[in-house]
Amino acid sequence: MIKSVIWFLGLLRPLFVHLGVNFQQMKAIVHTKLVIDNRIEKNGKSGQNTNNTLAKNAILMGIIGGFLFLCTYSIRSLSITTLIFQSYLSVMVMTGFMTEYARLLFNSVDNTITERFPVNDRTVLCARIVSMLSYLYLLTFSMSVFPYLLLIFKE
């Protein structure tokens, strides 16, 4: 996942340069944040191998998303089914986002670490936003892949 996010950032390089962001610094910060997030185990068991935490979260959210969609799939109206699933998806993604990133949203450690280096505030802000959006997209994509495939093959 980290490589794909960094690759996608490379595609958006002109946008970030136009916004006044130092792209190389932002890419380094985003890579570091994603590596740290990938190694933090949220269940408190520090003795386990914690190299694939984001993949484990994605698989778990995919199972939950599939289960939630199958629960609503018994309704015969496709529009009501997708509306209910979209509501579940929104609540689950926002709850997951707030539990994972609540400490980062209100934490100024990034600023104290990077203030020694010549990194402007815009670069740090863009790196923070990109790392949070990548987590949101991971949750949303993993929860909606199974329902999307089921709807495509049903029709």
Side-chain angles (χ1 to χ4, degrees):
M1 182 197 139
I2 296 172
K3 290 180 183 179
S4 62
V5 170
I6 299 300
W7 175 81
F8 187 71
L9 282 180
L11 296 177
L12 298 176
R13 181 186 181 122
L15 173 70
F16 289 117
V17 170
H18 179 71
L19 291 173
V21 174
N22 186 334
F23 183 75
Q24 293 301 323
Q25 290 176 343
M26 185 193 73
K27 191 168 85 168
I29 293 171
V30 168
H31 184 271
T32 305
K33 283 177 166 287
L34 290 176
V35 167
I36 290 171
D37 287 342
N38 197 26
R39 292 183 180 169
I40 294 175
E41 189 71 35
K42 305 294 190 254
N43 63 5
K45 296 179 183 176
S46 60
Q48 292 180 341
N49 182 9
T50 59
N51 284 335
N52 295 321
T53 303
L54 292 176
K56 291 175 190 175
N57 285 347
I59 291 169
L60 180 65
M61 288 299 173
I63 293 169
I64 290 172
F67 178 72
L68 289 175
F69 187 75
L70 287 176
C71 288
T72 61
Y73 193 69
S74 63
I75 300 172
R76 293 291 172 216
S77 174
L78 184 62
S79 60
I80 293 175
T81 299
T82 54
L83 177 69
I84 291 171
F85 178 72
Q86 181 65 31
S87 301
Y88 280 136
L89 182 69
S90 300
V91 169
M92 290 295 292
V93 166
M94 289 312 297
T95 304
F97 176 72
M98 291 306 292
T99 57
E100 298 291 326
Y101 278 94
R103 62 180 170 78
L104 294 178
L105 288 174
F106 306 110
N107 195 355
S108 63
V109 173
D110 291 340
N111 295 337
T112 58
I113 291 172
T114 58
E115 71 184 7
R116 297 179 298 156
F117 302 107
V119 179
N120 62 8
D121 292 337
R122 189 173 287 188
T123 303
V124 173
L125 177 66
C126 281
R128 185 179 284 182
I129 289 171
V130 165
S131 67
M132 285 189 258
L133 284 177
S134 65
Y135 184 72
L136 275 176
Y137 289 143
L138 174 72
L139 284 181
T140 305
F141 181 75
S142 63
M143 285 186 74
S144 60
V145 162
F146 176 72
Y148 181 69
L149 292 175
L150 188 66
L151 287 176
I152 285 176
F153 291 121
K154 180 190 175 225
E155 297 299 321

